[in-house]
Amino acid sequence: MRIAFFFIALQAFEFILTLFRPDLILSLEPWTATPLNARFIASLYLATGIDVLLCGLGRNFLQIRIVLIGTGVATGFIFILTLYRLYFYPGEVPKLPGTWLVINALDPVLMAFDVWYFRGEKPLQAPPPRASNPLSWLWIAQTIILGVVGPLMLLLPSVVVPVWPWRVTAPLIQLYGAFFLARAIVAGLSISEWRWEGVRAPVIMLMSLGIAVVLISFNSTGSNLR
């Protein structure tokens, strides 16, 4: 199972290069992106790669449960989104993104299998009476915000594109929406998780995403923004 985690993390880390060479983004995903969008995509995959890498280093199901579900949801929606746009918008991408499709079809299957395998091998212990998460309000806020914004981006990209803080296209908004929806599910699963061990990976993922977004924002120019 660890090999599968490291394999998926390696796929995500391939996007790191586009933080410095955004012109290479089309070699990794099918849609044209401006430098700022390319770097934002790289930030999303960098955070995901760190998350999955932590899964590979995890010692039990508790440490990887939330990450597995979140990553599986993200890649599953990306796979469906790609098929949708290929069918309804022929010619939108220069060529069939075969590798992209295979990876995003395979990843959710691996994630689902891992959830089934680890839950059967190492079931979680029931929490003690009155156990609670002192920061559950933060997770609730993220769940509500991302749970509203993510589906809106996926289903009504034309509504989101005009209000997005920088220039972006509909397919990229939907791509971001898949990640945002997955993050909403991660936050929702973290609300009742009172053990630091169970939310450590999601916290590190969100922290690394925030840092990366701040850094690329400093590197952006006025021409990238509205």
Side-chain angles (χ1 to χ4, degrees):
M1 292 301 102
R2 294 184 189 274
I3 294 177
F5 293 142
F6 294 143
F7 172 69
I8 296 172
L10 181 61
Q11 296 167 4
F13 287 147
E14 288 180 350
F15 283 82
I16 294 177
L17 184 59
T18 61
L19 287 170
F20 311 97
R21 288 284 308 278
D23 56 297
L24 298 177
I25 190 65
L26 270 179
S27 64
L28 298 172
E29 59 88 26
W31 297 288
T32 302
T34 64
L36 181 54
N37 281 294
R39 292 187 175 103
F40 186 65
I41 294 170
S43 299
L44 291 168
Y45 276 97
L46 172 62
T48 301
I50 292 173
D51 222 11
V52 177
L53 180 61
L54 291 174
C55 274
L57 302 175
R59 296 172 306 199
N60 53 53
F61 182 59
L62 174 62
Q63 295 179 352
I64 66 177
R65 174 180 64 100
I66 294 176
V67 174
L68 285 176
I69 296 173
T71 304
V73 168
T75 52
F77 271 108
I78 291 171
F79 176 71
I80 295 171
L81 165 65
T82 306
L83 292 180
Y84 166 80
R85 297 208 67 93
L86 285 173
Y87 182 80
F88 287 100
Y89 300 92
E92 182 178 71
V93 296
K95 62 179 180 179
L96 181 69
T99 303
W100 171 266
L101 284 170
V102 170
I103 290 173
N104 284 290
L106 183 62
D107 285 358
V109 173
L110 289 174
M111 297 294 103
F113 176 77
D114 290 341
V115 169
W116 170 81
Y117 175 82
F118 281 104
R119 188 169 182 82
E121 289 292 313
K122 300 176 182 180
L124 296 178
Q125 296 180 351
R130 298 183 180 178
S132 63
N133 183 344
L135 297 179
S136 60
W137 63 274
L138 286 174
W139 293 116
I140 292 172
Q142 289 188 52
T143 302
I144 294 173
I145 295 171
L146 296 176
V148 171
V149 174
L152 183 64
M153 296 168 73
L154 275 169
L155 300 175
L156 297 171
S158 60
V159 174
V160 181
V161 167
V163 297
W164 196 253
W166 61 80
R167 286 192 292 271
V168 69
T169 60
L172 292 183
I173 278 291
Q174 291 183 303
L175 177 63
Y176 301 162
F179 280 100
F180 282 24
L181 180 57
R183 299 297 183 262
I185 292 173
V186 166
L189 293 172
S190 301
I191 292 172
S192 59
E193 181 51 70
W194 56 276
R195 294 156 291 199
W196 166 244
E197 188 179 12
V199 297
R200 179 173 53 203
V203 167
I204 294 174
M205 173 195 65
L206 292 170
M207 180 180 66
S208 60
L209 177 59
I211 293 172
V213 169
V214 169
L215 292 176
I216 66 172
S217 298
F218 280 127
N219 191 49
S220 66
T221 63
S223 60
N224 296 126
L225 306 175
R226 296 187 184 278

